[in-house]
Structures are given as structure tokens and as C-alpha cells.
Amino acid sequence: MLNIVLFGPPGAGKGTQSEKLIQHYGLIHLSTGDLLRNEIAGQTKLGLEAKKLMDQGVLVPDEVVIGMIESKLDANPTAKGFIFDGFPRTTAQAAALDNLLLQKNTTIKMMLALEVTEVELSKRLLLRGKDSGRPDDQNPEVIKKRINEYNNKTAPVADYYRKQNKYYGINGIGSIDEIFNLLCKAIDK
Ligand code: AMP
């Protein structure tokens, strides 16, 4: 199986590149942000609880996202592989993912980390907020909070994969196709 963690701060281009990677490699896209937004749209209890945190730009509890990922893995037993987008965001999530995959006799092949400067990120997020309709992309304070959460809780996840020799840094500034080509090169090596 080809299991890839697509990593990077909010606005790095994970969603855009995930769409291209799943088409090219025939993988399943697992975005915890999208799964949470579906719960919000369905007005489920989980969605309503998560929305309060997402609107403030803070992470939802580990158990919630780990549970969602577990059910998606169970629901796709014949998948060729998965792109994990926006997950894992804490080292506890990374360890839980390793355990879930181990139970299925598979593992993460690599973490592809999109590297983008903070100035560029804020610019991209505010632009995206104009047409994405995402409330958390429209408020500069919430964007700042999300980038803080990333620096404090999520950036350490890169070390988790570095220790396993699975970390690949990719320049996330350039055209969509340029970045996609860099990602493919790293995967195909
Ligand atoms: P995203 O679409 O990945 O930018 O996620 C939007 C928001 O959903 C984040 O700011 C968090 O509040 C929440 N979220 C998404 N994925 C996770 C995760 N793996 N762990 C905790 N919170 C998450």
C-alpha cells in the first residue's frame, strides 16, 4: 500500500496537491478538516462541538479525529493507499495512526512536507477565504491562531517522521504543477 502523510501549515496547498495525487496514484483522500466540515454540514453532535473549536482556530481533541480516521480506514479495506491530509496534527495522532496501520499490516511510506513562509501563508488563506466560504479563513486573528497551533502542536510531528527516516521537505512555493512534479519525484524515487 502507498500511504502518504501530506504535511504543512494551513494554506500550504495540501488540499490542492492531494486532489492531484489521488488522481495520479489512485489513492483515497483522507482530510480530517473535510470530514469535520461534513459533520458540521450534517449538524451532527460531533460537528456542532467541533465547530466551536474550528471557528476559534484551535485543534479538536485527538480522540475525535483518530476515531474518524479509524472508521474511514475500516470502510476502505481494498484501498491501494491513502493520502492523509491535515492528519496527524499532534504526535499522539501520529502514534495512533502507526498503531491503526500496523493492525492492518501496513505502514506510512513517507511524509511529504510542503514548506511555505508565514507571510505567504497568511496571504493565501485570506485570498482563499474570499471564495471558500470557510469562516476560519476570513478572520486574520483566527488565521494567526491556526498558524500558532501549527507551530506549537503540529510542527513537532515532522520530527516523529524524521526519526523514522520518512521526512521529505518539498518547496511549496511555485506553480501548482511545479510543486506536483516535485511531489511525484519524491514518491517515485
Ligand atoms: P483544515 O481543513 O485541515 O485546515 O482543518 C480545519 C480545522 O479543523 C483546524 O483548524 C482544526 O480546528 C480542525 N482539524 C482538522 N484536522 C485536525 C486534526 N488532525 N486534529 C485536530 N484538529 C483538526
Side-chain angles (χ1 to χ4, degrees):
M1 269 174 104
L2 178 56
N3 299 314
I4 294 172
V5 172
L6 189 58
F7 190 71
K14 299 187 296 292
T16 305
Q17 294 297 336
S18 290
E19 289 304 326
K20 292 178 72 74
L21 290 168
I22 57 167
Q23 281 194 14
H24 189 77
Y25 292 99
L27 305 173
I28 290 180
H29 184 199
L30 292 187
S31 154
T32 40
D34 286 350
L35 294 172
L36 289 165
R37 282 183 287 276
N38 284 344
E39 295 284 337
I40 294 174
Q43 298 193 320
T44 65
K45 185 162 174 281
L46 189 159
L48 295 175
E49 287 299 316
K51 182 173 168 31
K52 292 183 207 151
L53 299 167
M54 291 165 76
D55 284 350
Q56 296 169 49
V58 297
L59 296 185
V60 306
D62 287 337
E63 315 82 75
V64 172
V65 285
I66 292 165
M68 289 193 316
I69 288 287
E70 183 171 15
S71 35
K72 285 290 166 187
L73 292 177
D74 288 344
N76 292 284
T78 58
K80 276 170 74 179
F82 297 92
I83 299 268
F84 297 93
D85 163 4
F87 179 91
R89 257 181 161 99
T90 62
T91 45
Q93 292 177 23
L97 178 60
D98 272 351
N99 278 332
L100 288 175
L101 293 176
L102 193 66
Q103 285 165 28
K104 302 190 181 302
N105 288 319
T106 183
T107 180
I108 291 294
K109 177 181 160 81
M110 63 206 314
M111 164 184 268
L112 295 168
L114 294 170
E115 294 168 348
V116 180
T117 59
E118 274 190 29
V119 179
E120 174 74 14
L121 292 177
S122 303
K123 246 195 313 190
R124 285 192 195 175
L125 287 171
L126 283 169
L127 258 183
R128 183 169 87 184
K130 287 193 183 142
D131 34 50
S132 74
R134 279 180 56 170
D136 59 347
D137 282 344
Q138 289 169 23
N139 178 334
E141 283 306 309
V142 175
I143 289 178
K144 214 162 134 195
K145 182 76 199 165
R146 286 162 66 202
I147 294 177
N148 273 348
E149 285 278 271
Y150 174 82
N151 287 334
N152 295 332
K153 297 180 185 161
T154 305
V157 177
D159 283 334
Y160 182 92
Y161 290 95
R162 272 196 194 95
K163 284 186 192 137
Q164 297 185 7
N165 287 322
K166 291 179 178 173
Y167 179 94
Y168 296 80
I170 303 286
N171 180 6
I173 298 188
S175 74
I176 290 175
D177 285 336
E178 276 163 2
I179 298 165
F180 178 64
N181 285 336
L182 292 176
L183 291 169
C184 291
K185 259 193 210 153
I187 295 170
D188 296 339
K189 223 190 307 192

